[in-house]
Amino acid sequence: MELHEFTAGDIRKLLRERKISSVELTRAYLERISALDDRLKAFITVTKDMALEMAAAADKAFGEGRESTVGGIPLALKDNLSVKGIPCTCGSSILQNYVAPYNATVVERLVSENSVIMGKTNMDEFAMGSSTENSAFFTTGNPWDLSRVPGGSSGGSAAAVAARMVPWALGSDTGGSVRQPAAFCGITGLKPTYGLISRYGLVAYASSLDQIGILSRNTEDCALLLKAIAGQDRRDSTSAGIPVPDYEAALRGKEGNFTIGIVEEFFQQSLDDGIRTLIEQAAHVFEGMGWSLKRVSFPHIRYSLASYYIIAPAEASSNLARYDGSRYGLREPAETTISMFKRSREKGFGAEVKRRIMMGTYTLSAGYYDAYYLKAQKVRTLIKRDFDEAFRECSFILAPVTPTAPFRKGENIDDPLKMYLSDIYTVSVNLAGLPGLVLPCGFSGGLPVALQLIGKPFDEVTLLRAGTAFQRATDFHLKNPPLGEAVPGGSIKESMK
Amino acid sequence: MSPEIIIGLEVHVELLTESKLFCGCSTKFGNPPNTNVCPVCLGLPGVLPVLNRKAVEHLIRTACALSCTIAPRSKFDRKNYFYPDMPKNFQISQYDLPLATAGKLSIVTAGGEKTITIKRIHLEEDTGKSVHKGTIDCSLSTLEDYNRAGVPLLEIVTEPDMRSPEEAHVFLTGLKDILRWLAVSDCKMEEGSLRCDANISLSPGDGVLGTKTEIKNLNSFKSVREALEHEAARQQKCLASGIAIVQETRGWDEKKSVTIPMRSKEAEYDYRYFPEPDLLPLEPGAQWIREFREALPELPAEKRERFVRDYRIPSYDSSVLTSSPAMADFFEATVRCGASPKAGSNWLMGDISRILNDKSLSLDETPLTPGRLAGMIDLVEKGTVSGKTAKSLIEEMLATGKDPLEIVKERGLTQISGEDAIQALVIEVAQANTEAMHSLRKGNEKVRGFLVGQVMKASKGRANPSMVNKVLDGLLGALPLPEARQDEDDHIRG
Ligand SMILES: [Zn+2]
């Protein structure tokens, strides 16, 4: 078996048994990145030197008997997470030359556990998009079909994990940006409860919706990485002061009898037939495990996309105001300060970002605030109530992730409304601040399809348990994308000491 | 009948906290540019604010002192506008749910006492500072200093309750007293820690509102009063000559003593306020507020009245003694140590204040204790030391903190009250000043002071003055008179 085929959990075992060193492993993955990324374009920055240093530090720690959950295992970060001394572009021209001078809290936690940061991955500019086509630099390919998009906005991270360029990666999810690309790339994705992971150092798109999420090969890896990064942070007032369970240990616990909620409104009109069929099959898999299904109705869910596309741009218009060319990032010279601001922003931001800034500015303007922003917030409360109601009887909710399989590059780029529709099953989860887990559940026309389990607030344990049960019963998550010819990655036999 | 002047104030107060409102950076004034900064107060991509608890405490204490209603639930909002000295291009402030509302402050002017209503008090972050190279209208470049960005500000807004520039001035002074009293702010206008904007309009009467103007950035107590006086006169002139008053923002030109238009109010900014999603709502809790209210110190106005009532000192003394908590506490402690209130007040207002002023020290920066001051007052009253000796004693006590009696013993400063010793001194002086003695004996009381002074000098200030007078009077009758003629001859020859 080749090195890159191992999951993070396998790698951890190999590292602990000293069957491999972190430096060897890191070299192998770096090699694979350099061989594959010309075609895939998942990375904006590959932090080769830093990765090797971190790997050496991890080996040293192992040598001294200091072990950790994620130590020595390569990891990729979406390019909106701050790593001290490393560019943090957010996929935007306006931050092309910006180097973060501090570490995000998650990065600090990963560094303290000797994780190995391999690089920063491509993304839709400022996390706005559903295809990674809004990156100012290039478009990432879907490992299952390079002519298709990997999803967005964490498309780079999803593609890197799916192509086995890293065992796992972090992304961010504001309206589905971890779950949708995980689905498109056929991997496991988790958007945790809002407040479970500190947002400090995650460049904000829409503060009340953003949450750092995990892209991995299976639910066990997901639990491992979550354990390393979750928990309260004094630097993020919205991070929750609740004890972090040992997710890894929880997976070994008894499964229990779950009731799965099926939201009627999720299975109407726009859902692709192939996807509908696969999700229904998945529901039967759960039933086969002795769990019961329960039909529930979400009367307000149809307003979720509209309210998301009011709240997110409103917050974004404010969060992105700091990029004006005066302190860092792109500066276009001009006669006056205001025209310098205008020119820098005109040149630095792409079309989608400008579109959302304008929408947000409009809906927050005096005279429109009540009609749009305030109303959207009220809808948000109602959507939350729909979920609360369902959770009285259901352990979690089973839903689609996307209405269609991965679309072709360029297919939706000139039709923003159609693009926005690809978030239809994911945004309500962010509006309600809930956790959502995405699991591969089959293939449609050779392309991966996934299901989504939506859990109660801070009940990641139940979600991951259910997900683990599903992955024990199925093998969709074990399929490799057809990347063609053998790509170097090293094998365990060669590198065994 | 001249129209009524209507004034409302908006006061911005920099709070005395160690760290900024949303990060741990120092708030120290005068550090080199951009040294009190971190990713958070520079608004770098990815940072989040964390509220400073101390700043909230300062607001609550101020609100209690001004009898405000404190909201059980308040929130922060973003005020969006582009400005180079604003790191995030939005300011975190409080918009529709300020923490404190509906307070009051009583003021006393020549016209009597009245109450000014405080409309609201809220917290917000200060901005940085733009430094223009050259003049502001044609500068080649602008430098930004973000040391001040994120320093906590209290915004205190009054209702338009003031009816004269004098009332505005007295209100502001009273407010400053309270803020300093609570150690909430040092209120140094020259360092920008207290800034004031004033709204002023003239009402022709019957409650009709006139068009108002806003005078921005008044940076001294004097300029608040002068700018308002000037603006009232200007508006009156406009009305008298039929010129419409334009609603606008004006600045105060201190050199020329005139208000000048800054920008027209028509271009009112749309700040696009919305709730700050990175901060949780502020819910201080009734228990917390109650604790603050109960722990609130006696405020200057109450204390002033109580001092007059309890210590029977003049109200002038009382207002001087209540100018700072340190002074008032020292005074009360001195009285508790046995000194008479008037003597304590005299020393504190007189010599002690003078010496401290000369050295630019405050009372708590000296080693003097109330017990020692009371001890010294006691020495004077018992006649152990003269008043003059006491003056030099207090100087040493302020410098070294020594016990007065100890100093007296060390330097042999005990007052000479024994009749024999004084008589010897007086005779000595009389013999050296026969002319003056003669003059005094003839009834010229004016030279008495000179003679007593000479005795005091000869005794190095230790002679008891009343004893000196007594002995002197005795001598005038008993001593043989010097030759009067000779005296006159001298006079003629001279
Ligand atoms: Zn700071």
mmCIF file with all atom_site columns, all heavy atoms in Angstrom, chain B residues 20 23-25 36-38 40-41, ligand 1:
data_model
loop_
_atom_site.group_PDB
_atom_site.id
_atom_site.type_symbol
_atom_site.label_atom_id
_atom_site.label_alt_id
_atom_site.label_comp_id
_atom_site.label_asym_id
_atom_site.label_entity_id
_atom_site.label_seq_id
_atom_site.pdbx_PDB_ins_code
_atom_site.Cartn_x
_atom_site.Cartn_y
_atom_site.Cartn_z
_atom_site.occupancy
_atom_site.B_iso_or_equiv
_atom_site.pdbx_formal_charge
_atom_site.auth_seq_id
_atom_site.auth_comp_id
_atom_site.auth_asym_id
_atom_site.auth_atom_id
_atom_site.pdbx_PDB_model_num
ATOM   1  N  N   . LYS B 1 20 ? -6.682 48.549 26.026 1.00 0.00 ? 20 LYS B N   1
ATOM   2  C  CA  . LYS B 1 20 ? -7.677 49.073 25.094 1.00 0.00 ? 20 LYS B CA  1
ATOM   3  C  C   . LYS B 1 20 ? -9.021 48.349 25.243 1.00 0.00 ? 20 LYS B C   1
ATOM   4  O  O   . LYS B 1 20 ? -9.128 47.353 25.951 1.00 0.00 ? 20 LYS B O   1
ATOM   5  C  CB  . LYS B 1 20 ? -7.147 48.962 23.665 1.00 0.00 ? 20 LYS B CB  1
ATOM   6  C  CG  . LYS B 1 20 ? -5.957 49.888 23.398 1.00 0.00 ? 20 LYS B CG  1
ATOM   7  C  CD  . LYS B 1 20 ? -5.558 49.870 21.927 1.00 0.00 ? 20 LYS B CD  1
ATOM   8  C  CE  . LYS B 1 20 ? -4.353 50.784 21.688 1.00 0.00 ? 20 LYS B CE  1
ATOM   9  N  NZ  . LYS B 1 20 ? -3.964 50.775 20.246 1.00 0.00 ? 20 LYS B NZ  1
ATOM   10 N  N   . CYS B 1 23 ? -8.642 44.808 23.094 1.00 0.00 ? 23 CYS B N   1
ATOM   11 C  CA  . CYS B 1 23 ? -7.409 44.022 23.065 1.00 0.00 ? 23 CYS B CA  1
ATOM   12 C  C   . CYS B 1 23 ? -6.563 44.391 24.272 1.00 0.00 ? 23 CYS B C   1
ATOM   13 O  O   . CYS B 1 23 ? -6.943 45.234 25.070 1.00 0.00 ? 23 CYS B O   1
ATOM   14 C  CB  . CYS B 1 23 ? -6.627 44.272 21.772 1.00 0.00 ? 23 CYS B CB  1
ATOM   15 S  SG  . CYS B 1 23 ? -5.960 45.944 21.645 1.00 0.00 ? 23 CYS B SG  1
ATOM   16 N  N   . GLY B 1 24 ? -5.407 43.768 24.401 1.00 0.00 ? 24 GLY B N   1
ATOM   17 C  CA  . GLY B 1 24 ? -4.580 43.972 25.590 1.00 0.00 ? 24 GLY B CA  1
ATOM   18 C  C   . GLY B 1 24 ? -3.561 45.090 25.460 1.00 0.00 ? 24 GLY B C   1
ATOM   19 O  O   . GLY B 1 24 ? -2.733 45.285 26.350 1.00 0.00 ? 24 GLY B O   1
ATOM   20 N  N   . CYS B 1 25 ? -3.588 45.853 24.360 1.00 0.00 ? 25 CYS B N   1
ATOM   21 C  CA  . CYS B 1 25 ? -2.580 46.899 24.162 1.00 0.00 ? 25 CYS B CA  1
ATOM   22 C  C   . CYS B 1 25 ? -2.713 48.017 25.192 1.00 0.00 ? 25 CYS B C   1
ATOM   23 O  O   . CYS B 1 25 ? -3.802 48.327 25.643 1.00 0.00 ? 25 CYS B O   1
ATOM   24 C  CB  . CYS B 1 25 ? -2.699 47.499 22.770 1.00 0.00 ? 25 CYS B CB  1
ATOM   25 S  SG  . CYS B 1 25 ? -2.165 46.385 21.493 1.00 0.00 ? 25 CYS B SG  1
ATOM   26 N  N   . ASN B 1 36 ? 1.848  51.029 20.513 1.00 0.00 ? 36 ASN B N   1
ATOM   27 C  CA  . ASN B 1 36 ? 0.791  50.405 21.334 1.00 0.00 ? 36 ASN B CA  1
ATOM   28 C  C   . ASN B 1 36 ? -0.213 49.715 20.414 1.00 0.00 ? 36 ASN B C   1
ATOM   29 O  O   . ASN B 1 36 ? -1.397 50.028 20.432 1.00 0.00 ? 36 ASN B O   1
ATOM   30 C  CB  . ASN B 1 36 ? 0.028  51.457 22.151 1.00 0.00 ? 36 ASN B CB  1
ATOM   31 C  CG  . ASN B 1 36 ? 0.897  52.142 23.176 1.00 0.00 ? 36 ASN B CG  1
ATOM   32 O  OD1 . ASN B 1 36 ? 2.050  51.776 23.378 1.00 0.00 ? 36 ASN B OD1 1
ATOM   33 N  ND2 . ASN B 1 36 ? 0.350  53.151 23.829 1.00 0.00 ? 36 ASN B ND2 1
ATOM   34 N  N   . VAL B 1 37 ? 0.254  48.804 19.592 1.00 0.00 ? 37 VAL B N   1
ATOM   35 C  CA  . VAL B 1 37 ? -0.662 48.174 18.636 1.00 0.00 ? 37 VAL B CA  1
ATOM   36 C  C   . VAL B 1 37 ? -0.438 46.669 18.550 1.00 0.00 ? 37 VAL B C   1
ATOM   37 O  O   . VAL B 1 37 ? 0.647  46.183 18.857 1.00 0.00 ? 37 VAL B O   1
ATOM   38 C  CB  . VAL B 1 37 ? -0.530 48.785 17.215 1.00 0.00 ? 37 VAL B CB  1
ATOM   39 C  CG1 . VAL B 1 37 ? -0.967 50.228 17.189 1.00 0.00 ? 37 VAL B CG1 1
ATOM   40 C  CG2 . VAL B 1 37 ? 0.899  48.649 16.689 1.00 0.00 ? 37 VAL B CG2 1
ATOM   41 N  N   . CYS B 1 38 ? -1.503 45.960 18.127 1.00 0.00 ? 38 CYS B N   1
ATOM   42 C  CA  . CYS B 1 38 ? -1.428 44.507 17.919 1.00 0.00 ? 38 CYS B CA  1
ATOM   43 C  C   . CYS B 1 38 ? -2.363 44.181 16.756 1.00 0.00 ? 38 CYS B C   1
ATOM   44 O  O   . CYS B 1 38 ? -3.066 45.064 16.271 1.00 0.00 ? 38 CYS B O   1
ATOM   45 C  CB  . CYS B 1 38 ? -1.847 43.776 19.194 1.00 0.00 ? 38 CYS B CB  1
ATOM   46 S  SG  . CYS B 1 38 ? -3.612 43.884 19.516 1.00 0.00 ? 38 CYS B SG  1
ATOM   47 N  N   . VAL B 1 40 ? -5.197 42.944 16.696 1.00 0.00 ? 40 VAL B N   1
ATOM   48 C  CA  . VAL B 1 40 ? -6.603 43.259 16.960 1.00 0.00 ? 40 VAL B CA  1
ATOM   49 C  C   . VAL B 1 40 ? -6.895 44.747 16.766 1.00 0.00 ? 40 VAL B C   1
ATOM   50 O  O   . VAL B 1 40 ? -7.817 45.113 16.043 1.00 0.00 ? 40 VAL B O   1
ATOM   51 C  CB  . VAL B 1 40 ? -7.019 42.808 18.380 1.00 0.00 ? 40 VAL B CB  1
ATOM   52 C  CG1 . VAL B 1 40 ? -8.448 43.250 18.688 1.00 0.00 ? 40 VAL B CG1 1
ATOM   53 C  CG2 . VAL B 1 40 ? -6.901 41.295 18.497 1.00 0.00 ? 40 VAL B CG2 1
ATOM   54 N  N   . CYS B 1 41 ? -6.098 45.622 17.392 1.00 0.00 ? 41 CYS B N   1
ATOM   55 C  CA  . CYS B 1 41 ? -6.445 47.044 17.261 1.00 0.00 ? 41 CYS B CA  1
ATOM   56 C  C   . CYS B 1 41 ? -6.019 47.598 15.906 1.00 0.00 ? 41 CYS B C   1
ATOM   57 O  O   . CYS B 1 41 ? -6.452 48.683 15.522 1.00 0.00 ? 41 CYS B O   1
ATOM   58 C  CB  . CYS B 1 41 ? -5.934 47.870 18.438 1.00 0.00 ? 41 CYS B CB  1
ATOM   59 S  SG  . CYS B 1 41 ? -4.193 47.756 18.755 1.00 0.00 ? 41 CYS B SG  1
HETATM 60 ZN ZN  . ZN  C 2 .  ? -4.103 46.017 20.360 1.00 0.00 ? 1  ZN  C ZN  1
#
